[in-house]
Amino acid sequence: MSESRGRNAHARVSSTDDEAVIPTRSLETFGRKVTATAGHLMGDSMMTQHYQTAMGEIHRELRHPLLQRKVFALSQTSPRDLVRSKLSTQEIQHRALTYLPDELFKNMPESSTPFSLFQGFQATLPESDKRRRKHMRRSSRAQRMLEETADDPNAPPVLKKLRNEKQGLDHRLEMMDVRKNLCSTEIREIDTKIQNLNTMRKVVLERLEDLEQEEADMEQEMLEVEGRIEDIQEEADDEAALSGQKTPTHSSAVGHSDDADHEDPDSPGMQASFMSESIYGKLPSPKSKRPKPGRRKTNFILHEHLQAGSKIRELQAHNDTISALDFDVPFGTMVTSALDDTVRVWDLNAGRCMGMLEGHLSSVRCLQVEDNLVATGSMDATVRLWDLNQADYIPPPANNRLNKNAEQELQSSPAESDHENEFTDAPENATPPPPTSSMQDCALHTLSAHVAEITALHFHNNTLVSGSADKTLRQWDLEKGRCVQTLDVLWAAAQASTVSNPYYSGPSTGTGTNSTFGRQGHAERAPPDANADFVGAVQCFDAALACGTADGLVRLWDLRSGQVHRSLIGHTGPVTCLQFDDMHLVTGSADRSVRIWDLRTGSISDAYAYDHPVTSVMFDAKSIVAAAGEDVVKVYDKTDGRHWDCAGDIEAESQRGTVEQVRLKDGFMVEGRKDGIVGAWSV
């Protein structure tokens, strides 16, 4: 019996534990007792007996084993177990997902719009026509009852109609305000997104710059490894050649043993023969020197993603007027010449001078860079060819290619008469000067046939054409290094003057930006300027040759026959620059105009003019850039016909010199100024 009673008591305790921790009835009883106790404390002395009775009941209740177990179990239970005993698993998960901490509410921006979410949703709904709205409104019986209750029953129908119309207009005005607020909010969100995207774009541009610089460093390391391989191979070939020479030398010595026996080993003759065989025979011949490996050009694309008119770099290249400049690829190798009688080679990626091309006796007036080959034409009437692959130059680690700090990027290289002090006046933050012998192995050929200064040149493949102040054009074979044809420009002009020109271009048919320029189409050509170069510009392609002269004509030659097959008439001043492709020819002249010719018809397809003579012009697939006697580069966008100035900082414009030369390739432009500064830009 005792065991069964124990089991029943244990079962009752277990069932009670599964229920609520403290039953509701016990709590009510406990509350009444506490109320009675408080009433006794706040009441008179008549309540003492009731207080004692209540306290006795509390003590008896607390001595009950079941209540003590419940209190002990509650003290031992963790908060997690309490929550799990009261809430289901799904409810706990829902509360965990929908819970938001107070920190998020603190950072929540306050809405400045006075409209509710429902109003915004209502404003996005399309409006129906007026008749449909009225029909839908009247079709609702509840709506009609509300309108009859709100309106005055004694009001005339016209007044009711006007009131309804006014309410509709008020509603439409309210919706208009909501829509305006929505548009304003969207604009602000778009501006924020654009700002964030611009920030991300700058980060990606910096990443692209780092990748391109890392690629250039890896290519330089690869070239160094290739150079070591070539050196080791050359040493192995020399050793093999020397080992092959030992046998015939020994046999010849045996063959002449009879004569050698009669000679004294210590005689001067024997010493000389010994030295010639052991020392001078081992020295490699200068002609057997291996060419250095070609310089691989990194395909830089950073400038394509910069904003048009962004300055990339600025260099103090010379201390005198830039007379000519050219470069091979963006961020590649640039060659500049000035009236200080120097020709300098620059590493555009690192922004430093690689060395100087020495050999001309006077200033270089024109030059061209194509891959590793450089052609320079000088006032000493010679044309020299240079191979930049033979340069002894190791590029340093480049940084800050985007000219983020212009003061540190400005590099000074003053020109002095004494070459030993060439770079002594450079500032402390300038890069170290290159060795004086870095370009001594670059000279290839010297083309001497003209009798006056070289004013223009251009080469393509193995053909080079040079124009001189002696009023002749000469065609050169670069493989043989000799002149193969001489074209007399004066004779061609005399021949053309006796015969009417069937290819006269006529008046300007272009849509130039200057209205007065169009009236110059029929103007007579002015006599040649005595100070202008007789041959201002040339360009050749296979057997085609274009030549601009001081008489304002552009002559198209056939190098196979040596004859002029077309003359383009239109300029009223000396032609100073030109460039053509398969369809168009762009020319710049001292008459302040730039003309675009259609080579298929020989007519002018477009033209525009500036305020000063045009000294240099060049174009690519997108733009035409020109140097027009100002401190900015004139840019003409061919896609939309827009003219703009590539100027950079407006505050520094007054301190800049006039732009004299400009070159453009694949959106990367370099310009040379009268004060010797060379700038690189993204166009």
Side-chain angles (χ1 to χ4, degrees):
M1 292 295 292
S2 61
E3 293 179 359
S4 61
R5 291 179 182 177
R7 291 193 192 97
N8 295 334
H10 181 71
R12 286 195 300 271
V13 171
S14 301
S15 61
T16 307
D17 292 340
D18 294 338
E19 297 175 356
V21 179
I22 300 178
T24 306
R25 185 177 300 175
S26 301
L27 290 176
E28 293 177 355
T29 304
F30 183 76
R32 286 195 300 269
K33 293 177 181 180
V34 172
T35 302
T37 303
H40 174 75
L41 294 176
M42 294 182 295
D44 52 5
S45 58
M46 298 296 296
M47 303 297 294
T48 305
Q49 185 177 0
H50 296 284
Y51 172 73
Q52 293 177 354
T53 304
M55 291 298 295
E57 293 179 358
I58 290 174
H59 285 294
R60 285 195 302 272
E61 190 73 21
L62 291 175
R63 286 194 298 269
H64 197 278
L66 181 60
L67 182 61
Q68 290 179 358
R69 282 196 205 94
K70 292 179 180 180
V71 173
F72 179 76
L74 179 63
S75 63
Q76 295 295 325
T77 305
S78 63
R80 179 180 299 178
D81 296 334
L82 288 176
V83 173
R84 290 180 177 178
S85 63
K86 295 298 182 182
L87 300 177
S88 62
T89 305
Q90 296 181 354
E91 189 174 1
I92 293 174
Q93 293 176 354
H94 174 72
R95 293 191 179 187
L97 292 175
T98 58
Y99 172 74
L100 294 176
D102 296 336
E103 297 178 356
L104 296 180
F105 291 100
K106 291 180 181 179
N107 299 328
M108 182 181 296
E110 297 182 359
S111 177
S112 59
T113 175
F115 305 103
S116 63
L117 182 62
F118 176 75
Q119 288 176 326
F121 173 74
Q122 189 178 9
T124 57
L125 297 177
E127 291 185 357
S128 59
D129 54 353
K130 187 175 181 181
R131 295 181 180 179
R132 187 176 179 182
R133 290 203 311 271
K134 288 185 177 180
H135 177 73
M136 292 177 62
R137 187 184 299 117
R138 292 179 180 178
S139 62
S140 176
R141 182 179 179 183
Q143 187 69 22
R144 288 200 306 269
M145 293 177 63
L146 291 174
E147 291 179 357
E148 291 176 358
T149 305
D151 295 340
D152 187 4
N154 299 326
V158 178
L159 182 59
K160 293 181 180 180
K161 183 178 180 180
L162 292 176
R163 286 178 178 174
N164 293 335
E165 186 175 356
K166 180 178 179 297
Q167 291 178 359
L169 294 175
D170 290 341
H171 177 72
R172 292 180 62 185
L173 287 175
E174 183 180 1
M175 293 298 102
M176 289 293 179
D177 291 339
V178 175
R179 293 190 185 97
K180 287 169 56 179
N181 186 269
L182 290 176
C183 293
S184 178
T185 304
E186 289 182 3
I187 291 174
R188 286 194 293 268
E189 291 179 356
I190 292 173
D191 292 339
T192 304
K193 291 179 181 179
I194 291 175
Q195 184 178 1
N196 295 335
L197 289 176
N198 288 332
T199 303
M200 295 174 61
R201 190 175 188 274
K202 292 180 181 178
V203 173
V204 176
L205 279 178
E206 293 178 357
R207 192 187 309 163
L208 176 60
E209 181 184 2
D210 296 338
L211 289 175
E212 289 188 347
Q213 185 55 48
E214 184 178 358
E215 182 183 7
D217 295 341
M218 292 179 64
E219 288 182 358
Q220 180 59 31
E221 185 177 356
M222 182 182 66
L223 291 178
E224 292 178 358
V225 173
E226 290 179 355
R228 295 197 205 108
I229 294 174
E230 292 289 338
D231 294 340
I232 295 174
Q233 185 67 30
E234 186 176 355
E235 291 178 359
D237 294 344
D238 293 341
E239 291 179 359
L242 290 175
S243 61
Q245 290 177 0
K246 289 181 180 179
T247 303
T249 303
H250 178 69
S251 62
S252 61
V254 172
H256 299 281
S257 59
D258 297 337
D259 297 335
D261 292 339
H262 300 284
E263 295 183 1
D264 187 5
D266 297 332
S267 63
M270 290 297 293
Q271 292 180 358
S273 62
F274 173 76
M275 291 295 292
S276 62
E277 293 177 1
S278 61
I279 301 297
Y280 296 103
K282 294 181 181 180
L283 295 177
S285 175
K287 296 182 180 180
S288 64
K289 184 178 180 180
R290 291 178 176 269
K292 296 184 179 180
R295 298 173 297 116
R296 178 171 176 244
K297 301 296 187 302
T298 304
N299 185 21
F300 290 111
I301 59 174
L302 176 64
H303 64 283
E304 299 177 1
H305 303 283
L306 298 178
Q307 186 179 2
S310 300
K311 183 171 67 174
I312 299 175
R313 190 178 294 280
E314 193 171 87
L315 304 170
Q316 183 67 48
H318 298 268
N319 275 353
D320 209 336
T321 303
I322 302 293
S323 58
L325 58 84
D326 196 10
F327 67 98
D328 52 0
V329 292
F331 295 102
T333 303
M334 178 181 64
V335 180
T336 61
S337 64
L339 298 182
D340 56 5
D341 299 343
T342 60
V343 181
R344 299 185 180 180
V345 185
W346 300 85
D347 183 357
L348 286 176
N349 186 35
R352 63 175 295 175
C353 182
M354 300 169 55
M356 296 197 308
L357 301 178
E358 299 178 344
H360 283 292
L361 303 178
S362 186
S363 299
V364 170
R365 294 288 310 278
C366 51
L367 61 87
Q368 181 185 351
V369 180
E370 193 70 28
D371 292 336
N372 62 300
L373 189 63
V374 179
T376 56
S378 172
M379 297 177 66
D380 60 4
T382 62
V383 176
R384 288 180 177 264
L385 300 178
W386 315 81
D387 184 9
L388 296 183
N389 280 343
Q390 305 302 325
D392 186 11
Y393 171 73
I394 300 177
N399 50 16
N400 197 10
R401 285 195 297 153
L402 294 181
N403 200 30
K404 299 174 184 177
N405 191 349
E407 295 180 358
Q408 294 181 359
E409 286 297 321
L410 192 65
Q411 309 214 2
S412 174
S413 299
E416 301 290 341
S417 58
D418 188 3
H419 293 296
E420 295 180 357
N421 300 325
E422 191 72 36
F423 297 91
T424 55
D425 297 334
E428 295 180 358
N429 58 355
T431 56
T436 56
S437 60
S438 60
M439 298 290 171
Q440 64 179 1
D441 298 331
C442 294
L444 290 179
H445 301 290
T446 301
L447 310 179
S448 302
H450 288 286
V451 295
E453 62 175 315
I454 309 297
T455 57
L457 64 82
H458 188 271
F459 68 88
H460 178 73
N461 292 336
N462 294 325
T463 301
L464 184 144
V465 177
S466 59
S468 172
D470 59 8
K471 300 179 178 57
T472 62
L473 301 174
R474 292 185 180 268
Q475 178 184 356
W476 305 83
D477 187 350
L478 296 183
E479 290 183 351
K480 300 178 181 179
R482 61 185 181 87
C483 179
V484 297
Q485 185 175 198
T486 301
L487 306 176
D488 193 343
V489 182
L490 283 180
W491 180 83
Q495 291 294 111
S497 62
T498 58
V499 181
S500 60
N501 190 356
Y503 298 104
Y504 173 64
S505 62
S508 173
T509 59
T511 57
T513 58
N514 194 335
S515 60
T516 60
F517 173 74
R519 294 193 292 268
Q520 296 176 359
H522 286 291
E524 296 183 358
R525 290 183 289 110
D529 188 1
N531 297 325
D533 297 330
F534 186 80
V535 180
V538 294
Q539 182 182 349
C540 62
F541 182 81
D542 291 339
L545 170 65
C547 171
T549 53
D551 56 0
L553 291 180
V554 179
R555 295 178 174 86
L556 305 181
W557 299 72
D558 187 353
L559 294 178
R560 294 168 297 186
S561 62
Q563 300 293 327
V564 177
H565 72 92
R566 177 174 293 184
S567 296
L568 305 179
I569 303 175
H571 284 292
T572 59
V575 178
T576 57
C577 46
L578 62 84
Q579 182 188 358
F580 68 85
D581 56 10
D582 54 349
M583 293 181 59
H584 295 91
L585 168 68
V586 179
T587 57
S589 171
D591 62 2
R592 305 178 291 108
S593 68
V594 174
R595 300 184 183 234
I596 305 174
W597 308 78
D598 190 342
L599 293 178
R600 296 167 296 183
T601 61
S603 61
I604 299 176
S605 62
D606 198 359
Y608 50 91
Y610 295 114
D611 297 332
H612 302 281
V614 179
T615 58
S616 180
V617 68
M618 201 167 186
F619 69 89
D620 60 2
K622 180 182 177 182
S623 305
I624 301 176
V625 296
E630 299 183 16
D631 55 359
V632 297
V633 177
K634 299 293 185 179
V635 183
Y636 172 66
D637 195 337
K638 296 191 296 184
T639 57
D640 56 3
R642 181 174 58 95
H643 291 262
W644 57 282
D645 297 340
C646 186
D649 299 334
I650 301 178
E651 299 178 355
E653 285 186 7
S654 58
Q655 303 177 358
R656 294 186 175 184
T658 305
V659 178
E660 294 292 330
Q661 299 292 328
V662 62
R663 287 293 181 271
L664 175 66
K665 292 181 182 179
D666 299 330
F668 187 88
M669 182 188 70
V670 294
E671 42 91 9
R673 299 177 177 270
K674 217 166 192 177
D675 54 4
I677 293 179
V678 174
W681 304 79
S682 174
V683 178

